Amino acid sequence: MLPTDIDLLRILGRPTLSGDGRLAVVSATRADLAADANATELWVAATDATTPARRLTEGPHDGAPAFSPDGRWLAFLRPVAGGPAQIHLLPMDGGDPFPVTDHPLGAGRPVWSPDSRRIAHTARVPDPGRYLPGVPASRERPRRITSLRYMADGLGYTFDRPRQVFVTDPFAPTPATTRVTEGRHDHDEVSWSPDGTLLTFVSGRHPTHADDLRRDVWVCAPDGTGLRALTHGGLEMSCPLFSPDGTLVCFTAETLTDDNRARGASSYGLWSVPADGSRPPVRLTDPEPYHLSFSSLMIETAADGVYFPNDWHGEVHLLLVPYDGGEPTPVITGPRQVNGFAVADGPDGPTLAAVISGEQSAGDLVSLHAGTERELTDFGARLRARGDLRPVEEFTAHADDGYPLQGWVVRPPGPGPHPVLLQIKGGPYTQWGYTLNGPASFEEAQVYATAGYAVVLGNPRGTSGYGQAHGRYAADDLAHKTAPDLLALLDTALRAPDLDADRVGVQGGSFGGYMSAWLAAHHGKRFRAAMGERGCYAIDSHFGSADDGVNNSIALYGADPARWAEISPLTHADRIDIPMLFIQSEDDRHTPMEQAQRMFVALRMRGVPAEMLLFPGEGHDMSRTGLPSHRLARYEAILDWWSRHMTEEDGRT
């Protein structure tokens, strides 16, 4: 796989099903190298696979499709006249799509009412005089910040444009949009009750909503009356949905600390609460083995229970959880990942449409009905036909205390001995796994293997997918407890005779960048060079400069500022003697640019060969969602870096 093969990685979004389950529509995003842009169009497929999937819209920026329950309309998001995305309607019996919203900052994902007459959605509402068309950011008035949560990566400032809930009636004699919520609070993830009389959504409407992570489940009438909370603190939540009989609201959440801040490596579970608020919420899934996969970040309610995607040993399984919280039933399992899905209940059982990725696929749309699984798209096959994808070989390592650790090696062709890259994932509460799509996928390993490197990947303790005890093992001392597990994974892989233990590099992004710098400082003799991307290197300044540094810094590194210096790689920069490359996006608000700058300066002042590659106009996820030209330039820089630092003493590479 070459860097330019990113144009074959079709990244599929959340699918939607027609009410009868016969048709599925999904968005597909690809890197358009010629236009230097990411293009998204909609594809439609018959779930019985009797006809090939076909492109439904030409894009280039169509997303978030949603079938009306009667199947007559498809709502989706599309920019209007070069402006922000608005909800459009496409008549499924023929005709052109047309816009039905006109929000100054664009509309959010459309959600149909059960009678197919109205569409609920969210939209950001700017403060008066803010974000005016044609007014550049440099001409905005100064902002007065009075809360801790005021910006977000990929968005910029958020406190002066909170999300509100709206309901649009596109079929009224005079189409109209009603604003449902008010105030300075963010409202998100709206959905309808089965009878169409209520909306539910998540929001923090308590006095300290802009300073902590607490969110609650709320319900109200579609005109905004009767607003009431169903939960009352202690949870950070998402995905509220009514049960089919309307008696429950199911949602996903993790528990917070007493002051409503994040806990390290806390499982995101499935919960329910009565829609009438008659009792407190209850957790339906055991926090030890079950954790909502962030590759899907969604649930679906159905007649027999709630469909829940669960991280498991590098896989993402789709489970059906009973409403009484009993043992979940596996629906989709195996060495692959469920990245999004939709469910349609029918007289002969449910039909599912799911996006499933694997070690050699970024995702294809499949259908599942009556025990029969059918592949509806062939994007993965196109990649495999053009690229010589290398096998992903699983192995088991053991930590110093005997604890088993799951790892993988992706080898280049040929007998070796091959130079080795230890690739460390971000998170940390995520997992490497069987996919070419997402923040912890095998995509990069395939590119580096093609270039001649054996890539070692593994899930040390502190990752998701192995139970909460596994995830929380390192929570009280991330650096010191994660490093031995990573080295155990590397040492096990290096026992293979075709891997060259004298030519090893270490690299990673986000938390992986943090650990790359930590290993360079404390185990530098093991490595020829290091690369850290979008990493946190100085916890004290990250605490005050990141978009959610107050919560993330405490959750990941503890609440004691006196200890932050000891576990910050910057403190130990005087121990780094190997060359180190820092890759950073200039608009990254999750790990701001100053993190890389401080490390770069510290090493250069000591004469260490350090380089810094800065990407303008990009955020934290540049390597996955950035401009195609930037993604290619990133690959070129990384491969150039290793070609310069993996040379054998006799000149062979």
Side-chain angles (χ1 to χ4, degrees), residues 27 204 392 411 422 447 495 499:
S27 64
V392 178
R411 286 175 161 84
L422 173 62
V447 172
R495 293 174 189 166
L499 270 61

Coordinates of all heavy atoms in Angstrom, one line a residue, residues 27 204 392 411 422 447 495 499:
S27 N -23.2 7.3 3.4 CA -22.2 8.2 2.8 C -20.9 7.6 2.7 O -20.5 6.7 3.5 CB -22.1 9.4 3.7 OG -21.6 9.1 5.0
G204 N -26.3 19.9 29.1 CA -25.9 20.3 30.5 C -26.6 21.7 30.7 O -26.1 22.7 30.2
V392 N -1.5 -9.4 8.5 CA -1.4 -8.9 9.8 C -1.3 -10.1 10.7 O -2.3 -10.9 10.8 CB -2.6 -8.0 10.2 CG1 -2.5 -7.6 11.6 CG2 -2.7 -6.8 9.2
R411 N 4.6 -7.4 8.4 CA 6.0 -7.5 7.8 C 6.0 -7.1 6.4 O 5.0 -7.3 5.6 CB 6.4 -9.0 7.9 CG 6.8 -9.5 9.3 CD 7.1 -11.0 9.2 NE 7.9 -11.5 10.3 CZ 7.4 -11.8 11.5 NH1 6.1 -11.7 11.7 NH2 8.2 -12.2 12.5
L422 N 8.1 0.5 16.2 CA 7.1 0.3 17.2 C 6.1 1.5 17.1 O 6.4 2.6 17.4 CB 7.7 0.3 18.6 CG 6.8 0.3 19.8 CD1 6.0 -1.0 19.8 CD2 7.5 0.5 21.1
V447 N 1.3 1.0 5.0 CA 2.2 1.9 4.2 C 3.6 1.7 4.6 O 4.5 1.6 3.7 CB 1.7 3.3 4.4 CG1 2.7 4.3 3.8 CG2 0.4 3.6 3.8
R495 N 11.9 -11.3 18.9 CA 12.5 -12.7 18.9 C 12.5 -13.3 17.5 O 13.2 -14.3 17.3 CB 11.7 -13.5 19.9 CG 11.8 -13.1 21.3 CD 10.8 -13.9 22.2 NE 10.7 -13.4 23.6 CZ 9.8 -13.7 24.5 NH1 8.8 -14.5 24.1 NH2 9.8 -13.2 25.7
L499 N 13.4 -9.9 12.1 CA 13.3 -8.5 12.6 C 14.6 -8.1 13.2 O 15.2 -8.9 14.0 CB 12.2 -8.4 13.6 CG 10.8 -8.1 13.1 CD1 10.3 -9.1 12.1 CD2 9.8 -7.9 14.2

